[in-house]
Amino acid sequence: MTTTTATPPDARRAAAKLLDDAVALARELDRDDVATSLARDGARLLDPGARVLVVGDYKQGKSSLVDALVGADVCPVHADVATALPTVVRHGEEPSAVLVGPHGRVDVTPSRLAGAVTGRDDEPGWGHAEVALDAPLLADGITLVDTPGAGGPGGTPATRVLTELPAADAVLLLSDASRELAAGEVELLRAAVAHVPTVLVALTRTDLHPAWREVRDLDTALLAERGLAVEVVGVSAELARHARGRWGTPVGDELAVASGIPALRELLRRRIAEPAGTRTGRAVGEHVAGVLASVRAAPAAELAALEAPARVRELDEALRAATERAAATKDRSARWQQTLADGVADLSSDIEWDLRDRVRQVVRTAEETLETVDPSRVWDQFEPWLAEEVGRAAATTYLWAGERTWWLAERVAAHFAEPAADGAPPGTAPVPAGRFSAELSVLPAVPPPDLDRLRVGQALVVGLRGSYSGVVMVGLVSTLSGLALINPFSVGAGVLLGGRTVREERRRALRRRQLDARRVVRQYAEEVQFVLGKHTKDMLREVQRTLRDHFTGRAEEVTMGAAAAVKAATAARDLDADVRRRRTAAVRARLERIDGLLARCGASS
């Protein structure tokens, strides 16, 4: 059996220990504001794990693969029922299962979890399920997300996958080993590669298809032709399940290797867990170093005053100048807040325009289609297509908006690139720009149009009404020739005019249905734009508040650090020799602790 590497969990544990030590030191220095900031931002940086989306068409074995990767039965697997609810599988010391919905989180039993995930639960409306498990792969920093079936970016499940891409660190697409990748799968891979750093393809059920290696080579060549650098591997969850029952035996080891699951685990660790652990350690190290640099100013100034009392006046002047620079950093808030306000206003306008443009293209295509078909015959297929296309347009807009949000955060952070009072760049702190997530559940339903067709009874009445004038006119003319009012000629004329009237009425009814269907499409598009417009504005305001509070806090930390340095240096001037000697030893010990933490920060980055 393949052994696991300890790099990802060790990196996370080292980062967490560094953060805890920094928080404790800040509290000892009476900088509770810094300790709170470190704990808050550090908790965000120490994410539970790298998020891996397991995607693919229906019945491709996604749930079985997740079970095989974690070595336990956590995702419901059924021969006839597909996964209907996303299931997040993450590390936890104690096993647990939770359903998350509009009303909060509810702990559930495995049986109820299976019912909700497969859509057999009598209580719909759950957003997703969460399962915690103590498994080696999960402990290494991997979080697996078992998603519902997705055949391509045009379908509703695939649209849900698109909305999850901004929060994903990797995508693992499953495809049957009996065939090459389908067009929808290739398009889904193209969308994933554009937004996710790591994308892999796993060919499933290799135990049933001996020629899976040829399919793998064909898929690799196909993806290379499309310009997609995606690695393709073969796995068999069924062999892994049999191997689990024989762990520790030669047969179990042989089955495990043949299943390809250990190799896939190692690939996930190497390509996802280890880089994520390294990024976490680097981010935490840079964050702690940036904050501690401002905290170090006070004991450094005090030590300088204690060791060289004759230079106190010169030191005071330098510290006052540093205080003025720190105040100027806070005064620059007018500039970065203006940049933030302008950026949010521009982004709001651009998001609204992008969404309107994408929805307008869908509406244009829908109206062109409705001009050539009878809505009453195709509405059952047209309605889900319309909802899917609008959902895809919304998801694409949200992806683009998320990228623009990070770009705006970087522009605001550029105002903090100037050196602070202590020479440290305050922009080293993490920038919590947030993320846009398209909530497709807020989209309204497509309203039903008036699709009534001309019934047989209605057509008969219309035909009789139209034939009356023909019978009367031709009958009156034929009476001049001695024929009766009702004769073959008048009856024939009535039939012709009646048929023409029925055909014209059918055309008018078709036109009314087409116009009403187009009205419904436009009404639906306006409702979607209204709902999503409110949603995007709310998210933008949240991003704006997050960035504003973050950078305001950074400016205040710099200012308070410089003020504390001035106060400490001034107080050191009035100490007698004995107190000065004891105080010097204590301050030097504090500086050594701070420098030790800064050295650890440099090692982690």
Side-chain angles (χ1 to χ4, degrees):
M1 299 289 289
T2 305
T3 58
T4 63
T5 177
T7 301
D10 285 351
R12 292 180 182 276
R13 281 195 292 268
K17 182 65 166 59
L18 174 64
L19 186 64
D20 292 341
D21 293 344
V23 170
L25 180 59
R27 296 194 186 281
E28 290 181 14
L29 298 176
D30 295 328
R31 292 297 303 272
D32 290 340
D33 59 320
V34 172
T36 302
S37 173
L38 281 169
R40 181 184 65 248
D41 294 334
R44 187 181 63 254
L45 293 173
L46 290 172
D47 189 76
R51 193 178 179 91
V52 180
L53 297 182
V54 182
V55 304
D57 206 347
Y58 291 99
K59 310 307 295 181
Q60 296 299 304
K62 298 184 292 296
S63 300
S64 300
L65 180 65
V66 171
D67 290 350
L69 287 173
V70 301
D73 296 329
V74 293
C75 295
V77 178
H78 197 279
D80 301 324
V81 180
T83 299
L85 195 67
T87 305
V88 180
V89 184
R90 58 166 52 99
H91 180 258
E93 298 296 336
E94 297 293 333
S96 65
V98 177
L99 290 175
V100 182
H103 304 296
R105 303 166 59 89
V106 179
D107 293 328
V108 296
T109 62
S111 60
R112 187 179 178 191
L113 175 70
V117 170
T118 56
R120 295 176 293 174
D121 196 339
D122 295 334
E123 186 180 355
W126 298 111
H128 67 276
E130 294 183 3
V131 177
L133 187 70
D134 187 10
L137 181 66
L138 305 178
D140 285 347
I142 294 289
T143 297
L144 300 172
V145 183
D146 181 19
T147 62
T156 300
T159 303
R160 294 196 190 104
V161 171
L162 289 178
T163 64
E164 292 292 331
L165 291 181
D169 296 280
V171 170
L172 177 62
L173 184 137
L174 273 60
S175 179
D176 197 281
S178 63
R179 56 170 176 80
E180 297 181 53
L181 290 171
E185 293 172 329
V186 174
E187 290 304 315
L188 189 58
L189 286 173
R190 187 185 302 277
V193 168
H195 297 92
V196 178
T198 304
V199 181
L200 303 171
V201 173
L203 301 179
T204 60
R205 303 186 180 96
T206 55
D207 56 311
L208 300 179
H209 308 289
W212 68 267
R213 293 177 180 81
E214 299 177 6
V215 176
R216 176 197 60 191
D217 296 339
L218 292 173
D219 288 342
T220 303
L222 174 64
L223 294 174
E225 291 177 1
R226 302 294 193 276
L228 303 176
V230 178
E231 187 170 353
V232 183
V233 299
V235 293
S236 171
E238 185 65 19
L239 288 180
R241 186 177 66 83
H242 287 292
R244 257 194 292 160
R246 302 185 180 186
W247 272 349
T249 67
V251 175
D253 293 346
E254 184 178 354
L255 288 174
V257 173
S259 71
I261 295 298
L264 179 57
R265 286 198 197 105
E266 203 59 38
L267 182 62
L268 293 176
R269 291 189 182 98
R270 186 176 70 252
R271 295 281 300 276
I272 302 170
E274 292 181 11
T278 302
R279 287 194 302 268
T280 298
R282 183 183 299 112
V284 172
E286 291 176 354
H287 174 44
V288 173
V291 175
L292 288 184
S294 62
V295 174
R296 189 182 187 278
E302 184 179 3
L303 182 62
L306 290 169
E307 292 180 339
R311 297 179 55 222
V312 168
R313 182 178 299 276
E314 177 185 348
L315 183 61
D316 284 348
E317 293 177 356
L319 288 174
R320 288 192 180 92
T323 303
E324 293 175 358
R325 290 197 301 271
T329 299
K330 191 172 183 179
D331 292 339
R332 288 201 308 272
S333 62
R335 284 189 291 161
W336 67 258
Q337 286 189 7
Q338 187 64 41
T339 299
L340 178 59
D342 292 344
V344 169
D346 293 342
L347 184 55
S348 177
S349 176
D350 291 345
I351 290 174
E352 182 180 2
W353 171 259
D354 185 77
L355 180 62
R356 290 178 66 88
D357 181 61
R358 295 182 189 278
V359 174
R360 184 177 58 179
Q361 294 178 16
V362 176
V363 171
R364 184 183 299 115
T365 303
E367 290 184 338
E368 291 175 354
T369 302
L370 291 173
E371 284 290 331
T372 60
V373 298
D374 185 353
S376 64
R377 298 181 182 275
V378 302
W379 190 257
D380 290 341
Q381 296 78 34
F382 179 84
E383 179 183 1
W385 171 86
L386 178 63
E388 291 166 1
E389 288 299 314
V390 170
R392 180 183 179 185
T396 306
T397 296
Y398 274 80
L399 286 174
W400 173 80
E403 295 173 357
R404 283 288 304 272
T405 299
W406 281 105
W407 174 79
L408 174 60
E410 291 173 354
R411 283 191 60 197
V412 177
H415 288 284
F416 287 79
E418 300 178 20
D422 53 0
T428 55
V431 181
R435 77 177 184 91
F436 270 69
S437 58
E439 295 292 341
L440 298 183
S441 59
V442 304
L443 293 180
V446 181
D450 183 7
L451 299 178
D452 287 342
R453 304 180 64 185
L454 196 63
R455 298 183 179 90
V456 176
Q458 294 172 330
L460 181 60
V461 172
V462 170
L464 290 175
R465 187 172 62 246
S467 64
Y468 174 77
S469 58
V471 171
V472 172
M473 287 187 299
V474 176
L476 289 176
V477 173
S478 62
T479 57
L480 300 177
S481 303
L483 298 175
L485 181 65
I486 304 299
N487 59 70
F489 297 102
S490 63
V491 172
V495 171
L496 291 176
L497 289 178
R500 179 181 177 183
T501 303
V502 171
R503 288 193 296 273
E504 290 178 352
E505 184 61 26
R506 290 187 185 278
R507 283 196 294 269
R508 283 193 294 268
L510 173 61
R511 187 59 180 168
R512 284 195 301 270
R513 291 194 296 272
Q514 291 174 333
L515 291 175
D516 195 65
R518 292 176 61 184
R519 177 191 62 80
V520 166
V521 169
R522 289 192 294 269
Q523 177 183 344
Y524 176 67
E526 292 174 0
E527 186 69 17
V528 166
Q529 292 170 10
F530 174 77
V531 172
L532 292 185
K534 176 66 166 60
H535 192 242
T536 55
K537 285 182 173 59
D538 289 344
M539 296 187 72
L540 276 174
R541 282 193 292 270
E542 182 63 28
V543 169
Q544 185 176 15
R545 284 192 292 267
T546 301
L547 292 175
R548 180 197 61 202
D549 295 344
H550 173 77
F551 287 112
T552 300
R554 288 295 297 145
E556 290 177 351
E557 287 174 9
V558 173
T559 303
M560 292 182 64
V566 173
K567 181 180 179 181
T570 304
R573 181 172 46 192
D574 302 327
L575 299 178
D576 58 35
D578 292 337
V579 176
R580 184 186 300 275
R581 188 166 47 254
R582 292 194 299 270
R583 184 62 181 170
T584 299
V587 173
R588 185 178 288 112
R590 283 188 176 182
L591 274 177
E592 289 177 355
R593 289 185 59 189
I594 295 176
D595 291 340
L597 285 179
L598 289 173
R600 288 167 59 187
C601 293
S604 64
S605 59

